[in-house]
Amino acid sequence: MLKAAALGGLGLGGLGLAGCSEERPSPPRRPPTSPKPATSPKPTGPADWNALERGLDGRLVRPSDSSYKEARRLYIPRYDRVRPAGIAYCETPQDVSECVAFATVKRMPVAVRCGGHSYAGWSTGTGLVIDVSPMDAVKRDGDRATVGAGTRLIDLYDKLADDGVGVPSGTCPTVGVAGLTLGGGLGVTSRAYGLSCDVLEAVQLVTADGRVLTCDAQQSPDLFWACRGGGGGNFGVAVSFTFRTHEVGDVAPFSMRWPWRKAADVVRGWQRWAPAAPGEVWTSLHLDTGPDEGTPSIEVAGLALDGASGHMERLTAAIGADPASSTAQSRPYMDAMKFMGGCAGQSVEQCHGEGALPGQRPGGAFPRTEYSGKSHIAYRPLPDEAIRALLSRFDKGNDVQNRSVLMDAMGAAIARTGPGDTAFPHRKGLFCVQYLAPDDAWLSATHGAMEPYLGGAAYVNYIDAGLKDWAHAYYGPNLDRLRKVKAAHDPGRLFRFPQAV
Ligand SMILES: Cc1cc2nc3c(=O)[nH]c(=O)nc-3n(C[C@H](O)[C@H](O)[C@H](O)COP(=O)(O)OP(=O)(O)OC[C@H]3O[C@@H](n4cnc5c(N)ncnc54)[C@H](O)[C@@H]3O)c2cc1C
């Protein structure tokens, strides 16, 4: 997950078509388009942009629209230059079906968008952007929650916390539940409750032929499996998710800092302790160049569900050196999620991006940030030589501000699911390493320096346009099955981008 501090302050610094359940638009608001078998694209759809606009419940933004400049933006500003032909804010699954039919007839490229946080900018393009943001209802029913695919993480946490429950998900408040869940979903409670895709019970998906399918363990099980870690934008447009929930109470965020001269000890001790620690505690090791030029920093940020002090003591013992400073404070769950997400003390409204478009709020204050990311999944601890190589990336001459390496502990509940049980394959990973920087050169050099020690496994949610052999890196042994699901449900490859399955 992303270090919130780098984005405005942490405060602490996842075969076979039988059994598909299909739902039709009801009642039809436009001439109904007849569904076809999954192996052939829908031949009819709106004839032009005006017809598409008339057929949508939601809003269609075109280049002549005053809100086009804002509507085309993603989270990362470098993609502001991309100019879609149209952005459809879909209010219903039927809106999505209409967009799919239009794009098929027009042979127009499609990009699917939720929170717009794709590192590679693959939720926009020059054709039609299908934005699911207006579908953001969150409804709790017993120990299940049905969540509109356009929901932002801050709203997921907020609406469920009101009922004293939660779903394990990511940290950044403006990230979309769709992109995150479809790629897996690592979060601060994942060691206790699993990845977001692990608590997914069902997903409603609009497929390339325009049908609205409910996919779960019984219905369309192949698609359901693929949607649990197979990556966003590959198999259809998700319109709603049903998650199992867990109860929430007070939790304790904590932070521990050591002087840089102790950095090798901290990395060595943390990587042995953190993946094997109880599921009640999650930690992330942060190496940063900023904010004081020339003074790299090392910090462990964590969240404990059962009190922080015992975990902090055991981590200190594993490292063999007391921290120079540390903080820990028990907080209500929602406060802690804001704190971990970098909007501590702010209102839920403020934890959104600013604006009037779906997904934004007029009083939103969460900033966009310019950077690129790369990742590794570490399957074994770093040897001393690798630790030296990692730390040297923060030496003088490599000390431009805002360069970070974040190591998020895995293990516990994440490892209790098998590599092939969902499409997310990295169940035996010890920790996820994320490299973040505004400059690609440092990022590539740092990632390259660690490759001899960490190999080629990577996290699809930290999608990386420059990654060689990306398909095996993201999907490992699940790749062949994912390709079969893709061929069965999107044979014409309507949903495509440079790293589409
Ligand atoms: C600031 C920041 C913090 C992050 N923190 C975490 C974290 O804590 N944990 C973690 O696991 N990851 C984290 N990530 C990574 C994040 O999970 C991915 O970037 C994710 O893909 C973002 O989803 P999105 O909906 O916001 O982005 P988008 O750019 O809208 O979508 C990402 C991908 O999913 C596809 N997609 C979007 N909506 C749908 C849909 N409805 N149906 C089908 N496909 C769809 C898009 O086409 C695109 O390929 C973070 C990323 C950033 C930038």
Side-chain angles (χ1 to χ4, degrees):
M1 72 209 56
L2 190 66
K3 185 189 176 194
L7 301 171
L10 179 61
L12 308 165
L15 293 171
L17 293 170
C20 290
S21 156
E22 182 177 338
E23 293 161 26
R24 311 273 180 202
S26 176
R29 293 172 291 101
R30 59 189 76 89
T33 48
S34 49
K36 290 285 178 188
T39 50
S40 71
K42 185 186 264 189
T44 59
D48 55 32
W49 288 104
N50 291 334
L52 176 63
E53 185 166 23
R54 282 194 304 274
L56 298 176
D57 282 342
R59 184 172 163 201
L60 181 67
V61 176
R62 305 267 351 258
S64 57
D65 196 303
S66 60
S67 59
Y68 177 74
K69 186 177 173 189
E70 183 64 32
R72 72 170 194 258
R73 287 181 175 164
L74 301 184
Y75 178 77
I76 298 176
R78 69 173 59 181
Y79 303 116
D80 287 358
R81 60 185 154 74
V82 182
R83 298 181 63 83
I87 300 140
Y89 287 101
C90 296
E91 288 194 0
T92 62
Q94 291 72 40
D95 277 0
V96 175
S97 294
E98 201 73 2
C99 287
V100 164
F102 177 75
T104 301
V105 167
K106 294 290 177 190
R107 297 180 182 278
M108 180 172 291
V110 166
V112 189
R113 190 171 78 183
C114 176
H117 287 63
S118 168
Y119 280 25
W122 289 333
S123 49
T124 190
T126 55
L128 175 63
V129 172
I130 301 177
D131 190 305
V132 300
S133 296
M135 295 182 276
D136 62 353
V138 176
K139 288 184 201 134
R140 185 190 172 203
D141 181 12
D143 62 354
R144 300 284 186 275
T146 302
V147 176
T151 305
R152 303 302 195 256
L153 298 189
I154 187 67
D155 296 317
L156 176 73
Y157 287 127
D158 179 50
K159 291 177 181 172
L160 293 179
D162 281 348
D163 284 342
V165 297
V167 167
S169 199
T171 48
C172 178
T174 55
V175 163
V177 71
L180 181 124
T181 302
L182 295 169
L186 277 164
V188 296
T189 61
S190 289
R191 300 190 73 255
Y193 304 111
L195 304 177
S196 306
C197 71
D198 294 342
V199 296
L200 189 64
E201 294 275 309
V203 56
Q204 211 179 29
L205 200 68
V206 179
T207 46
D209 54 9
R211 293 184 299 168
V212 185
L213 303 182
T214 296
C215 310
D216 59 24
Q218 283 78 43
Q219 309 167 92
S220 295
D222 56 340
L223 278 170
F224 180 54
W225 175 86
C227 286
R228 300 171 73 193
N234 278 306
F235 305 102
V237 182
V239 292
S240 134
F241 300 94
T242 301
F243 295 107
R244 286 191 304 278
T245 59
H246 60 83
E247 291 184 1
V248 301
D250 285 4
V251 293
F254 63 91
S255 165
M256 304 165 77
R257 285 178 171 270
W258 285 263
W260 185 250
R261 62 188 157 77
K262 290 285 179 191
D265 294 332
V266 176
V267 177
R268 203 181 294 115
W270 175 86
Q271 66 175 351
R272 298 214 175 261
W273 174 81
E280 287 76 15
V281 64
W282 166 90
T283 50
S284 180
L285 176 64
H286 300 171
L287 305 170
D288 290 284
T289 54
D292 304 323
E293 207 176 313
T295 317
S297 68
I298 184 160
E299 172 189 19
V300 173
L303 184 83
L305 306 184
D306 57 350
S309 59
H311 300 299
M312 294 168 78
E313 279 165 21
R314 286 184 284 276
L315 174 57
T316 300
I319 290 170
D322 287 336
S325 65
S326 63
T327 61
Q329 189 185 0
S330 182
R331 297 165 180 256
Y333 176 81
M334 190 58 204
D335 283 3
M337 291 304 112
K338 286 183 187 171
F339 186 68
M340 302 304 290
C343 59
Q346 298 190 316
S347 67
V348 168
E349 168 122 355
Q350 287 173 314
C351 298
H352 289 80
E354 183 189 356
L357 291 166
Q360 303 175 327
R361 297 289 182 277
F366 200 80
R368 299 163 79 214
T369 307
E370 191 69 76
Y371 63 87
S372 297
K374 285 182 167 292
S375 73
H376 275 123
I377 302 285
Y379 277 82
R380 57 190 67 87
L382 295 169
D384 283 354
E385 180 189 333
I387 294 173
R388 277 194 296 276
L390 177 62
L391 297 179
S392 74
R393 298 302 305 158
F394 294 86
D395 284 348
K396 272 222 172 300
N398 277 319
D399 57 357
V400 172
Q401 282 186 27
N402 293 326
R403 290 167 170 167
S404 303
V405 175
L406 318 180
M407 297 155 73
D408 293 331
M410 296 174 67
I414 298 167
R416 288 200 283 274
T417 298
D421 293 347
T422 69
F424 180 88
H426 303 303
R427 301 295 177 169
K428 306 282 181 223
L430 299 178
F431 49 92
C432 180
V433 184
Q434 195 180 181
Y435 311 87
L436 290 167
D439 55 323
D440 293 344
W442 183 87
L443 208 56
S444 295
T446 304
H447 182 266
M450 299 312 292
E451 203 165 342
Y453 310 105
L454 291 173
Y459 180 29
V460 68
N461 269 353
Y462 301 150
I463 205 155
D464 175 359
L467 187 62
K468 294 185 217 99
D469 200 11
W470 55 268
H472 289 98
Y474 300 147
Y475 304 122
N478 291 334
L479 179 59
D480 285 351
R481 186 172 171 191
L482 283 166
R483 284 182 169 152
K484 285 180 185 141
V485 178
K486 176 74 174 175
H489 294 281
D490 186 15
R493 298 188 70 78
L494 177 72
F495 302 112
R496 64 179 180 269
F497 52 94
Q499 293 183 355
V501 167

